[in-house]
């Protein structure tokens, strides 16, 4: 009987994978629309704005990332954002003047930048493909890995697209 031995070339290739999902933030991200605190939804009147903000239970933002948005074309003076930050800083883990999608990307990039990637030094690394990831994550990953790795690839271990080899 002829017995064939199958060799898993992916396992023997020495390629290790970096999965960007491992660095995705787990912090809940919410938006705070300041339109609801404006006079007629369009105008910042200091007294009314401060009174409206004073009624908010900011503890609902505890340990969350908060994106401050304004869904109207109102002109918001900088002091209003400062006033909101003073209230949110007691509870929120992160606050920015952006929508939730942008905040997710910013936090994800921050986690990648501060990640300990030393174990990829002098290795053959493939960054796993995922069509749902923002291309900015791949751009950042390539920049962070280039000075460390022996070769950088994109895709999957079994069929990677070579980006560079040293």
């Amino acid at each position: 009987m002829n017995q064939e031995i199958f060799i898993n070339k992916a396992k023997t290739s020495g390629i290790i994978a970096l999965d960007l999902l491992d660095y995705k933030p787990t912090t809940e991200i919410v938006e705070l629309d300041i339109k609801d605190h404006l006079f007629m939804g369009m105008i910042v009147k200091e007294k009314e704005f401060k009174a409206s903000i004073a009624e908010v239970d900011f503890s609902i933002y505890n340990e969350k990332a908060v994106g401050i948005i304004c869904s109207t074309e109102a002109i918001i003076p900088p002091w209003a954002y400062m006033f909101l930050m003073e209230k949110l800083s007691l509870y929120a883990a992160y606050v920015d003047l952006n929508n939730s999608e942008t905040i997710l990307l910013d936090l994800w990039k921050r986690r990648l930048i501060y990640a300990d990637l030393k174990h990829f030094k002098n290795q053959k690394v493939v960054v796993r493909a995922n069509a749902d990831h923002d291309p900015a994550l791949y751009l950042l990953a390539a920049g962070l890995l280039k000075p460390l790795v022996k070769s950088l690839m994109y895709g999957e271990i079994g069929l990677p697209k070579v980006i560079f080899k040293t």
Side-chain angles (χ1 to χ4, degrees):
M1 195 170 199
N2 184 10
Q3 287 187 321
E4 293 182 34
I5 298 173
F6 292 99
I7 298 172
N8 185 335
K9 290 185 179 181
K11 280 189 176 181
T12 61
S13 69
I15 299 172
I16 57 175
L18 177 136
D19 192 338
L20 293 172
L21 277 175
D22 294 341
Y23 301 93
K24 185 175 182 178
T26 56
T27 306
E28 182 181 353
I29 301 169
V30 295
E31 292 179 351
L32 178 122
D33 190 346
I34 61 174
K35 164 192 73 82
D36 303 329
H37 303 284
L38 304 178
F39 178 71
M40 296 176 46
M42 291 292 293
I43 301 166
V44 177
K45 289 178 118 183
E46 183 175 358
K47 185 177 178 181
E48 289 85 350
F49 181 78
K50 286 182 175 181
S52 178
I53 295 299
E55 293 177 14
V56 175
D57 176 12
F58 284 95
S59 69
I60 64 171
Y61 299 107
N62 195 41
E63 297 302 315
K64 295 178 183 174
V66 180
I68 298 174
I69 63 165
C70 185
S71 59
T72 65
E73 295 293 320
I75 297 172
I76 311 298
W79 68 260
Y81 296 119
M82 294 172 70
F83 189 73
L84 281 169
M85 184 61 184
E86 188 275 326
K87 304 296 184 194
L88 287 165
S89 66
L90 299 171
Y91 300 100
Y94 180 83
V95 181
D96 199 356
L97 188 60
N98 272 312
N99 62 32
S100 57
E101 294 84 21
T102 303
I103 288 179
L104 173 63
L105 182 59
D106 288 347
L107 292 175
W108 203 335
K109 287 165 62 176
R110 185 180 286 194
R111 286 194 69 188
L112 263 175
I113 289 168
Y114 292 109
D116 182 6
L117 303 176
K118 287 184 226 145
H119 60 284
F120 293 114
K121 188 167 180 70
N122 296 321
Q123 300 292 321
K124 296 186 274 183
V125 178
V126 63
V127 179
R128 290 194 189 273
N130 187 324
D132 295 331
H133 292 343
D134 190 293
L137 294 170
Y138 291 100
L139 182 73
L140 178 59
L144 293 171
L145 292 170
K146 174 114 172 63
L148 295 174
V149 302
K150 189 181 340 179
S151 60
L152 181 64
M153 296 159 273
Y154 167 84
E156 293 300 325
I157 291 175
L159 190 60
K161 176 174 283 304
V162 177
I163 304 301
F164 83 87
K165 288 182 183 181
T166 56

